[in-house]
Amino acid sequence: MAARREAMEGLIDLARQSLKDLDGQQLFIQVRDEKGKKLARLSLSLQMQPNAAEDQ
């Protein structure tokens, strides 16, 4: 579906512009039709997890 593809591209662009702190960020986009009915919800979540081997 073209709307979902465009929403995914929009989410990627939003992530590039918005994510300054890589820990605990969550973004989402809702896709709706012309009547406002929800068609899909795309989300992106980023969390930083330190490598235990590097801490020693």
Side-chain angles (χ1 to χ4, degrees), residues 50-56:
N51 186 346
E54 291 179 7
D55 293 339
Q56 297 177 4

Side-chain angles (χ1 to χ4, degrees), residues 2-54:
R4 289 182 185 178
R5 185 178 62 247
E6 288 182 33
M8 182 61 77
E9 291 172 4
L11 184 60
I12 292 167
D13 289 341
L14 182 61
R16 284 187 187 125
Q17 296 170 12
S18 302
L19 296 177
K20 295 177 181 155
D21 178 11
L22 293 178
D23 191 19
Q25 295 291 322
Q26 295 182 346
L27 301 171
F28 73 93
I29 291 178
Q30 289 187 353
V31 180
R32 297 177 182 261
D33 67 11
E34 59 277 350
K35 295 181 181 180
K37 179 182 174 186
K38 290 182 188 178
L39 300 176
R41 184 176 191 270
L42 293 85
S43 63
L44 174 68
S45 176
L46 297 176
Q47 292 183 320
M48 177 73 77
Q49 296 182 350
N51 186 346
E54 291 179 7

